[in-house]
Amino acid sequence: IADDNGFLFMYGARHFQNWEITGKDLTDADTFLGMFPFEETGQADNGSIASWTVNTIIIAGRKFDTALGVHSSLDETEKQKYDRRLKYLRNVIETVLNNLCAVKGIEITSARVFRELNKFDENTDYVGCELSFVYDSGYDNTIPDYPVALAATNVISTGFSANWQAVTGATGYYIDVSASASFATYLTGYNNKSVGNVLTLVMTGLTSGQTYYYRVRSYNGYNQSLDSVKVTVILP
């Protein structure tokens, strides 16, 4: 995640111990993503481990208001300066969490966000997020394959049937239907619509001559897949 977003990655030894970022580590406007080791606690059940609770901390920081005065020379109040810093760092944390949850299929059971302004020297600030995960031996962490979306059938001037192939292990499917090729907007009620464990959805009440698009995802009760390839449907 750090590499994909151009962040400097740093790995800490312990929470807030023997770990300090200074101007020696960062150049002007460097953003760093820090992470601490996992701390794990097991819950025992009659001599065996029933589940693990795992905690870690990620920190996004940046050296603001560089020596050249690029930012600090702006005509802004102290509050505006802090708002600017926090907004940027908060967006970094949000990017990281979106990557963890959406791409890797991790469920964050709880999170505590904290912030420090001028924690270190050289005007380096950070926003941190303490994460808690639960590893349950009965939890299926498998992310199902995405469905193969098939061409629409029964295409008429006011509707069509959306189709897709079955995915092994899936217990149901979500579908998106849109008049936008980029799915910038959705038909009402068809944004991540759960249709159950079926392989066809009949669409009615549509506009003749309009082009529609649909894509499908599978789910297994714990996780959902990535999107299928979108299908284009042109109504006569």
Side-chain angles (χ1 to χ4, degrees), residues 64-78 80-81 84-85 123:
F64 288 92
D65 300 337
T66 66
L68 298 177
V70 176
H71 296 301
S72 58
S73 62
L74 296 174
D75 184 15
E76 60 182 358
T77 65
E78 286 297 303
Q80 289 171 331
K81 179 177 70 172
R84 165 172 54 81
R85 294 177 175 186
N123 284 317

PDB file of all heavy atoms in Angstrom, residues 64-78 80-81 84-85 123:
ATOM      1  N   PHE A  64       5.597  18.765   7.623  1.00  0.00           N
ATOM      2  CA  PHE A  64       4.886  19.913   7.075  1.00  0.00           C
ATOM      3  C   PHE A  64       5.714  21.187   7.221  1.00  0.00           C
ATOM      4  O   PHE A  64       6.676  21.244   7.974  1.00  0.00           O
ATOM      5  CB  PHE A  64       3.549  20.102   7.797  1.00  0.00           C
ATOM      6  CG  PHE A  64       2.517  19.068   7.449  1.00  0.00           C
ATOM      7  CD1 PHE A  64       2.385  17.922   8.209  1.00  0.00           C
ATOM      8  CD2 PHE A  64       1.691  19.227   6.349  1.00  0.00           C
ATOM      9  CE1 PHE A  64       1.435  16.969   7.901  1.00  0.00           C
ATOM     10  CE2 PHE A  64       0.735  18.283   6.024  1.00  0.00           C
ATOM     11  CZ  PHE A  64       0.608  17.152   6.802  1.00  0.00           C
ATOM     12  N   ASP A  65       5.257  22.198   6.509  1.00  0.00           N
ATOM     13  CA  ASP A  65       5.830  23.541   6.640  1.00  0.00           C
ATOM     14  C   ASP A  65       7.347  23.495   6.517  1.00  0.00           C
ATOM     15  O   ASP A  65       8.094  23.653   7.476  1.00  0.00           O
ATOM     16  CB  ASP A  65       5.412  24.179   7.963  1.00  0.00           C
ATOM     17  CG  ASP A  65       3.903  24.292   8.060  1.00  0.00           C
ATOM     18  OD1 ASP A  65       3.246  24.309   7.007  1.00  0.00           O
ATOM     19  OD2 ASP A  65       3.392  24.363   9.180  1.00  0.00           O
ATOM     20  N   THR A  66       7.772  23.250   5.310  1.00  0.00           N
ATOM     21  CA  THR A  66       9.170  22.977   5.014  1.00  0.00           C
ATOM     22  C   THR A  66      10.051  24.186   5.280  1.00  0.00           C
ATOM     23  O   THR A  66       9.597  25.303   5.476  1.00  0.00           O
ATOM     24  CB  THR A  66       9.312  22.570   3.548  1.00  0.00           C
ATOM     25  OG1 THR A  66       8.982  23.700   2.724  1.00  0.00           O
ATOM     26  CG2 THR A  66       8.378  21.427   3.212  1.00  0.00           C
ATOM     27  N   ALA A  67      11.344  23.921   5.244  1.00  0.00           N
ATOM     28  CA  ALA A  67      12.321  24.979   5.510  1.00  0.00           C
ATOM     29  C   ALA A  67      12.192  26.110   4.502  1.00  0.00           C
ATOM     30  O   ALA A  67      12.534  27.257   4.782  1.00  0.00           O
ATOM     31  CB  ALA A  67      13.730  24.394   5.471  1.00  0.00           C
ATOM     32  N   LEU A  68      11.704  25.795   3.314  1.00  0.00           N
ATOM     33  CA  LEU A  68      11.548  26.820   2.287  1.00  0.00           C
ATOM     34  C   LEU A  68      10.300  27.672   2.519  1.00  0.00           C
ATOM     35  O   LEU A  68      10.083  28.643   1.812  1.00  0.00           O
ATOM     36  CB  LEU A  68      11.472  26.168   0.904  1.00  0.00           C
ATOM     37  CG  LEU A  68      12.721  25.385   0.473  1.00  0.00           C
ATOM     38  CD1 LEU A  68      12.481  24.722  -0.888  1.00  0.00           C
ATOM     39  CD2 LEU A  68      13.932  26.305   0.405  1.00  0.00           C
ATOM     40  N   GLY A  69       9.484  27.262   3.494  1.00  0.00           N
ATOM     41  CA  GLY A  69       8.307  28.058   3.814  1.00  0.00           C
ATOM     42  C   GLY A  69       7.202  27.958   2.795  1.00  0.00           C
ATOM     43  O   GLY A  69       6.381  28.870   2.668  1.00  0.00           O
ATOM     44  N   VAL A  70       7.166  26.858   2.061  1.00  0.00           N
ATOM     45  CA  VAL A  70       6.165  26.715   1.004  1.00  0.00           C
ATOM     46  C   VAL A  70       4.752  26.786   1.562  1.00  0.00           C
ATOM     47  O   VAL A  70       3.876  27.426   1.004  1.00  0.00           O
ATOM     48  CB  VAL A  70       6.380  25.379   0.253  1.00  0.00           C
ATOM     49  CG1 VAL A  70       5.274  25.174  -0.780  1.00  0.00           C
ATOM     50  CG2 VAL A  70       7.742  25.373  -0.408  1.00  0.00           C
ATOM     51  N   HIS A  71       4.528  26.108   2.713  1.00  0.00           N
ATOM     52  CA  HIS A  71       3.196  26.098   3.305  1.00  0.00           C
ATOM     53  C   HIS A  71       3.029  27.188   4.359  1.00  0.00           C
ATOM     54  O   HIS A  71       2.007  27.853   4.414  1.00  0.00           O
ATOM     55  CB  HIS A  71       2.907  24.736   3.941  1.00  0.00           C
ATOM     56  CG  HIS A  71       2.877  23.619   2.952  1.00  0.00           C
ATOM     57  ND1 HIS A  71       2.009  23.591   1.896  1.00  0.00           N
ATOM     58  CD2 HIS A  71       3.618  22.479   2.863  1.00  0.00           C
ATOM     59  CE1 HIS A  71       2.204  22.491   1.188  1.00  0.00           C
ATOM     60  NE2 HIS A  71       3.178  21.807   1.752  1.00  0.00           N
ATOM     61  N   SER A  72       4.024  27.377   5.186  1.00  0.00           N
ATOM     62  CA  SER A  72       3.867  28.289   6.310  1.00  0.00           C
ATOM     63  C   SER A  72       3.772  29.743   5.868  1.00  0.00           C
ATOM     64  O   SER A  72       3.345  30.586   6.630  1.00  0.00           O
ATOM     65  CB  SER A  72       5.042  28.125   7.286  1.00  0.00           C
ATOM     66  OG  SER A  72       6.266  28.362   6.624  1.00  0.00           O
ATOM     67  N   SER A  73       4.170  30.034   4.639  1.00  0.00           N
ATOM     68  CA  SER A  73       4.069  31.405   4.160  1.00  0.00           C
ATOM     69  C   SER A  73       2.661  31.746   3.684  1.00  0.00           C
ATOM     70  O   SER A  73       2.381  32.887   3.348  1.00  0.00           O
ATOM     71  CB  SER A  73       5.060  31.636   3.009  1.00  0.00           C
ATOM     72  OG  SER A  73       4.740  30.792   1.910  1.00  0.00           O
ATOM     73  N   LEU A  74       1.778  30.715   3.661  1.00  0.00           N
ATOM     74  CA  LEU A  74       0.409  30.990   3.248  1.00  0.00           C
ATOM     75  C   LEU A  74      -0.282  31.865   4.285  1.00  0.00           C
ATOM     76  O   LEU A  74       0.019  31.805   5.470  1.00  0.00           O
ATOM     77  CB  LEU A  74      -0.368  29.675   3.088  1.00  0.00           C
ATOM     78  CG  LEU A  74       0.118  28.724   1.994  1.00  0.00           C
ATOM     79  CD1 LEU A  74      -0.659  27.413   2.078  1.00  0.00           C
ATOM     80  CD2 LEU A  74      -0.042  29.343   0.618  1.00  0.00           C
ATOM     81  N   ASP A  75      -1.208  32.661   3.822  1.00  0.00           N
ATOM     82  CA  ASP A  75      -1.973  33.537   4.716  1.00  0.00           C
ATOM     83  C   ASP A  75      -3.095  32.713   5.338  1.00  0.00           C
ATOM     84  O   ASP A  75      -4.223  32.664   4.856  1.00  0.00           O
ATOM     85  CB  ASP A  75      -2.541  34.719   3.930  1.00  0.00           C
ATOM     86  CG  ASP A  75      -3.254  35.703   4.834  1.00  0.00           C
ATOM     87  OD1 ASP A  75      -3.056  35.625   6.061  1.00  0.00           O
ATOM     88  OD2 ASP A  75      -4.022  36.538   4.310  1.00  0.00           O
ATOM     89  N   GLU A  76      -2.794  32.019   6.442  1.00  0.00           N
ATOM     90  CA  GLU A  76      -3.781  31.178   7.090  1.00  0.00           C
ATOM     91  C   GLU A  76      -3.635  31.296   8.595  1.00  0.00           C
ATOM     92  O   GLU A  76      -2.569  31.595   9.118  1.00  0.00           O
ATOM     93  CB  GLU A  76      -3.627  29.712   6.663  1.00  0.00           C
ATOM     94  CG  GLU A  76      -2.276  29.123   7.003  1.00  0.00           C
ATOM     95  CD  GLU A  76      -2.131  27.680   6.523  1.00  0.00           C
ATOM     96  OE1 GLU A  76      -3.088  27.136   5.960  1.00  0.00           O
ATOM     97  OE2 GLU A  76      -1.048  27.109   6.714  1.00  0.00           O
ATOM     98  N   THR A  77      -4.747  31.041   9.287  1.00  0.00           N
ATOM     99  CA  THR A  77      -4.721  31.074  10.740  1.00  0.00           C
ATOM    100  C   THR A  77      -4.101  29.783  11.267  1.00  0.00           C
ATOM    101  O   THR A  77      -3.889  28.823  10.528  1.00  0.00           O
ATOM    102  CB  THR A  77      -6.147  31.224  11.290  1.00  0.00           C
ATOM    103  OG1 THR A  77      -6.888  30.045  10.949  1.00  0.00           O
ATOM    104  CG2 THR A  77      -6.837  32.440  10.690  1.00  0.00           C
ATOM    105  N   GLU A  78      -3.839  29.754  12.574  1.00  0.00           N
ATOM    106  CA  GLU A  78      -3.309  28.529  13.180  1.00  0.00           C
ATOM    107  C   GLU A  78      -4.302  27.374  13.016  1.00  0.00           C
ATOM    108  O   GLU A  78      -3.908  26.238  12.740  1.00  0.00           O
ATOM    109  CB  GLU A  78      -3.020  28.765  14.666  1.00  0.00           C
ATOM    110  CG  GLU A  78      -1.778  29.608  14.914  1.00  0.00           C
ATOM    111  CD  GLU A  78      -0.526  28.922  14.408  1.00  0.00           C
ATOM    112  OE1 GLU A  78      -0.254  27.789  14.849  1.00  0.00           O
ATOM    113  OE2 GLU A  78       0.164  29.502  13.558  1.00  0.00           O
ATOM    114  N   GLN A  80      -6.506  26.984  10.619  1.00  0.00           N
ATOM    115  CA  GLN A  80      -6.485  26.545   9.230  1.00  0.00           C
ATOM    116  C   GLN A  80      -5.253  25.685   8.944  1.00  0.00           C
ATOM    117  O   GLN A  80      -5.323  24.710   8.198  1.00  0.00           O
ATOM    118  CB  GLN A  80      -6.518  27.760   8.303  1.00  0.00           C
ATOM    119  CG  GLN A  80      -7.854  28.476   8.278  1.00  0.00           C
ATOM    120  CD  GLN A  80      -7.797  29.783   7.524  1.00  0.00           C
ATOM    121  OE1 GLN A  80      -6.761  30.451   7.454  1.00  0.00           O
ATOM    122  NE2 GLN A  80      -8.932  30.171   6.942  1.00  0.00           N
ATOM    123  N   LYS A  81      -4.137  26.045   9.568  1.00  0.00           N
ATOM    124  CA  LYS A  81      -2.918  25.267   9.367  1.00  0.00           C
ATOM    125  C   LYS A  81      -3.094  23.852   9.901  1.00  0.00           C
ATOM    126  O   LYS A  81      -2.764  22.864   9.223  1.00  0.00           O
ATOM    127  CB  LYS A  81      -1.737  25.941  10.067  1.00  0.00           C
ATOM    128  CG  LYS A  81      -0.425  25.161   9.914  1.00  0.00           C
ATOM    129  CD  LYS A  81       0.742  25.897  10.549  1.00  0.00           C
ATOM    130  CE  LYS A  81       0.638  25.892  12.065  1.00  0.00           C
ATOM    131  NZ  LYS A  81       1.856  26.441  12.692  1.00  0.00           N
ATOM    132  N   ARG A  84      -5.539  21.854   7.767  1.00  0.00           N
ATOM    133  CA  ARG A  84      -4.908  21.403   6.526  1.00  0.00           C
ATOM    134  C   ARG A  84      -4.079  20.155   6.766  1.00  0.00           C
ATOM    135  O   ARG A  84      -4.136  19.185   5.998  1.00  0.00           O
ATOM    136  CB  ARG A  84      -4.034  22.522   5.957  1.00  0.00           C
ATOM    137  CG  ARG A  84      -3.056  22.083   4.886  1.00  0.00           C
ATOM    138  CD  ARG A  84      -2.371  23.266   4.233  1.00  0.00           C
ATOM    139  NE  ARG A  84      -1.721  24.162   5.179  1.00  0.00           N
ATOM    140  CZ  ARG A  84      -0.514  23.934   5.711  1.00  0.00           C
ATOM    141  NH1 ARG A  84       0.153  22.837   5.425  1.00  0.00           N
ATOM    142  NH2 ARG A  84       0.027  24.812   6.538  1.00  0.00           N
ATOM    143  N   ARG A  85      -3.319  20.153   7.846  1.00  0.00           N
ATOM    144  CA  ARG A  85      -2.480  18.999   8.152  1.00  0.00           C
ATOM    145  C   ARG A  85      -3.329  17.771   8.458  1.00  0.00           C
ATOM    146  O   ARG A  85      -3.083  16.680   7.947  1.00  0.00           O
ATOM    147  CB  ARG A  85      -1.587  19.317   9.354  1.00  0.00           C
ATOM    148  CG  ARG A  85      -0.566  20.389   9.099  1.00  0.00           C
ATOM    149  CD  ARG A  85       0.216  20.670  10.370  1.00  0.00           C
ATOM    150  NE  ARG A  85       1.299  21.607  10.145  1.00  0.00           N
ATOM    151  CZ  ARG A  85       2.201  21.928  11.065  1.00  0.00           C
ATOM    152  NH1 ARG A  85       2.119  21.398  12.269  1.00  0.00           N
ATOM    153  NH2 ARG A  85       3.165  22.776  10.799  1.00  0.00           N
ATOM    154  N   ASN A 123       8.633  19.854  12.544  1.00  0.00           N
ATOM    155  CA  ASN A 123       7.238  20.036  12.145  1.00  0.00           C
ATOM    156  C   ASN A 123       6.609  18.780  11.550  1.00  0.00           C
ATOM    157  O   ASN A 123       5.814  18.847  10.626  1.00  0.00           O
ATOM    158  CB  ASN A 123       7.101  21.184  11.136  1.00  0.00           C
ATOM    159  CG  ASN A 123       7.207  22.536  11.795  1.00  0.00           C
ATOM    160  OD1 ASN A 123       6.628  22.756  12.848  1.00  0.00           O
ATOM    161  ND2 ASN A 123       7.964  23.428  11.193  1.00  0.00           N
TER     162      ASN A 123
END
